[in-house]
Amino acid sequence: MASLKLNAVNKVYPSGESALYDVNFSTRDKEFIVIVGGECGGKSTLLRVIAGLEQPTSGAVFIDGKDVTEVEPKDRDVAMIFRSSTLYPAQNVFDNMAFGLRLRKAPPTLVEQRVKAAATILGLEDVLYRKPKTLSAAAKQRVAIGRAMVREPKLYLFDEPLSGLDENLRADMLNVIINLQARMEGTFIYATKNLAEAMAIGTRIVVMKNGFIQQIDAPANLYDYPANAYVAFYIGSPSISLIDGAHITRADGAYFVEAGGLKIPLSENTVKRFTEIEKYANAEKTVVLGIRPEDAALGKGGIKAVVSGVNEKGGKTYADCTVDGAIITATAGEAELSKGSEVELCIDASHLYLFDGETRLTVLARDDGYKKTDFEEADFTPMPIAEENAVTESLKPVKDAKKKKSR
């Protein structure tokens, strides 16, 4: 067994800066869970707390049901692979990989057996007796992974291990890690800013922002059923178009979402999923309208728009279209476009995303398309944006507050 549980983990540095706030989630044996988020999201801090390299300010860390919050890193049976290899330059590859086992006084025969087995899996047989300075960046990361493998830990923690590698090397190393996870008995926890990596490898993804968990769920569920506007924006490439200040209107028994000159009818399923729609219909309450690029396309009979930018991603062409001040990214197909082109924008009204204008939480309940997992975290609801901001403000360093008062 190799399970992890984080119970109300907080991390506040002596300066007063908060890095983690009330983090709760658990993993199961052999699960591959990915933590994503932007800069200062809390990913690396969370991994360091799990590894014991940093102590939480409050809360507890459990591994296989045992409270290890106060346990030394070397006694947690955890291996951590960092974003840049931390190899010993004076030692060859074999000795680097064997270091952890030798530190634990493993028999020489076991050390040799495990190092050579790991080298075979990672394709390092030909460089076992070379120094790290002679290796490529990708090979150095393979050695770092191998050093973790030979220990056969319960938890493997990866802190942006592919950062700095080019696209081809990144793809090769990602395959190495995926295959490794299939071979080993441990649980993998992988932190990255790269969404493509996260969506490719994670059985579940933890989305973090400024130390706050936003949502924990399977990749497809995060994409189709985001808990708030931040998750909708982060999960997807190109990013979803979000339009603030939209209103829900009702006329002749039909419902629409309107933002300036944009007016889109709500499908029957959207209306059915819209919780408390009457509080929004023809009222002052606003919503944030979300439209994914694949649900908007250029074509005849659509909404008149002006192209404000054209870009390519993943072999496809996308156009940023301006409609009465709102910018919507749409698939462009084969059309030859340039900035200022007048186009017509067709939007699939059956795939709209709607969030409360004040809380930025989704107002759409899950339907039968949601593939429910049996993890309790799937029902987690993030804080409304105002509450999150209030907590962040209250946790700001005292010295900053004093500076503000003196101005």
Side-chain angles (χ1 to χ4, degrees), residues 8-23 42 44-46 48-49 52-59 210-211 395:
V9 169
N10 292 273
K11 178 63 180 178
V12 181
Y13 290 107
S15 65
E17 178 187 359
S18 175
L20 298 172
Y21 183 79
D22 196 29
V23 173
S44 295
T45 302
L46 182 56
R48 292 176 66 84
V49 166
L53 300 177
E54 293 192 26
Q55 280 293 105
T57 305
S58 61
N210 299 333
L395 295 174

Side-chain angles (χ1 to χ4, degrees), residues 215-407:
Q215 190 171 353
I216 306 175
D217 215 327
N221 288 339
L222 292 176
Y223 188 84
D224 292 324
Y225 301 90
N228 60 20
Y230 179 83
V231 175
F233 181 80
Y234 200 90
I235 303 295
S237 182
S239 298
I240 192 172
S241 301
L242 295 174
I243 303 170
D244 287 296
H247 286 85
I248 302 300
T249 59
R250 182 182 61 240
D252 299 326
Y255 293 89
F256 304 84
V257 56
E258 296 189 42
L262 191 67
K263 184 175 182 179
I264 305 172
L266 298 185
S267 68
E268 182 179 346
N269 184 54
T270 300
V271 173
K272 183 179 178 181
R273 294 176 57 202
F274 198 138
T275 56
E276 301 181 307
I277 191 171
E278 294 305 326
K279 288 187 177 181
Y280 295 83
N282 297 333
E284 292 185 3
K285 287 179 70 67
T286 64
V287 296
V288 179
L289 168 63
I291 302 171
R292 293 207 181 274
E294 58 270 31
D295 296 325
L298 304 186
K300 294 182 179 180
I303 301 165
K304 295 187 182 301
V306 176
V307 175
S308 55
V310 180
N311 56 79
E312 290 190 6
K313 195 172 185 70
K316 294 183 179 180
T317 302
Y318 297 91
D320 293 330
C321 303
T322 301
V323 181
D324 197 23
I327 297 178
I328 300 171
T329 301
T331 53
E334 301 297 323
E336 293 186 8
L337 300 169
S338 60
K339 188 174 181 179
S341 299
E342 294 184 357
V343 295
E344 293 181 52
L345 186 61
C346 300
I347 297 172
D348 184 351
S350 66
H351 289 114
L352 300 179
Y353 296 78
L354 297 169
F355 308 93
D356 180 83
E358 183 177 349
T359 67
R360 300 187 79 82
L361 300 179
T362 183
V363 295
L364 301 180
R366 298 164 178 171
D367 58 12
D368 293 339
Y370 180 80
K371 295 178 175 57
K372 181 70 183 288
T373 67
D374 56 357
F375 293 94
E376 63 181 35
E377 291 91 352
D379 294 322
F380 170 77
T381 300
M383 279 187 178
I385 188 65
E387 290 184 25
E388 185 179 297
N389 290 340
V391 170
T392 301
E393 189 68 28
S394 70
L395 295 174
K396 278 186 177 180
V398 175
K399 61 181 181 180
D400 288 352
K402 289 180 179 178
K403 285 180 181 178
K404 287 182 180 180
K405 289 180 180 179
S406 64
R407 289 176 185 171

Side-chain angles (χ1 to χ4, degrees), residues 48-258:
R48 292 176 66 84
V49 166
I50 294 170
L53 300 177
E54 293 192 26
Q55 280 293 105
T57 305
S58 61
V61 179
F62 296 86
I63 296 178
D64 287 349
K66 177 184 176 183
D67 188 343
V68 298
T69 311
E70 303 295 333
V71 174
E72 290 293 318
K74 63 183 180 65
D75 298 322
R76 293 194 183 196
D77 204 8
V78 171
M80 188 163 178
I81 296 93
F82 296 90
R83 68 189 70 185
S84 58
S85 61
T86 53
L87 305 180
Y88 299 105
Q91 298 182 2
N92 62 27
V93 169
F94 186 102
D95 291 336
N96 265 283
M97 291 174 65
F99 184 82
L101 283 179
R102 287 173 174 166
L103 195 65
R104 289 163 176 75
K105 303 187 185 307
T109 53
L110 178 64
V111 172
E112 184 169 1
Q113 176 188 345
R114 287 194 183 177
V115 169
K116 289 188 174 179
T120 300
I121 293 171
L122 296 170
L124 295 170
E125 306 103 303
D126 296 337
V127 299
L128 270 177
Y129 300 101
R130 289 168 56 180
K131 295 291 179 65
K133 67 180 180 181
T134 67
L135 305 180
S136 67
K140 289 178 182 177
Q141 281 300 79
R142 286 174 185 257
V143 176
I145 292 171
R147 185 168 58 188
M149 282 179 63
V150 299
R151 286 178 46 204
E152 298 184 359
K154 292 179 179 179
L155 293 178
Y156 292 80
L157 309 179
F158 294 83
D159 186 10
E160 299 190 52
L162 309 187
S163 178
L165 300 181
D166 65 35
E167 189 172 339
N168 290 332
L169 289 177
R170 184 184 289 267
D172 289 343
M173 284 300 300
L174 195 60
N175 284 330
V176 168
I177 294 171
I178 291 171
N179 292 331
L180 176 64
Q181 199 271 340
R183 286 172 175 264
M184 306 306 289
E185 294 295 317
T187 297
F188 281 42
I189 302 174
Y190 186 104
T192 181
K193 292 191 291 287
N194 189 297
L195 180 62
E197 288 178 18
M199 299 295 276
I201 63 179
T203 52
R204 287 189 300 152
I205 297 176
V206 180
V207 183
M208 297 190 70
K209 183 186 72 168
N210 299 333
F212 293 82
I213 287 182
Q214 305 295 311
Q215 190 171 353
I216 306 175
D217 215 327
N221 288 339
L222 292 176
Y223 188 84
D224 292 324
Y225 301 90
N228 60 20
Y230 179 83
V231 175
F233 181 80
Y234 200 90
I235 303 295
S237 182
S239 298
I240 192 172
S241 301
L242 295 174
I243 303 170
D244 287 296
H247 286 85
I248 302 300
T249 59
R250 182 182 61 240
D252 299 326
Y255 293 89
F256 304 84
V257 56
E258 296 189 42

Side-chain angles (χ1 to χ4, degrees), residues 30 32 34 43 132 151 187 191 285 293:
K30 301 180 185 179
F32 201 138
V34 180
K43 306 182 299 299
R151 286 178 46 204
T187 297
K285 287 179 70 67

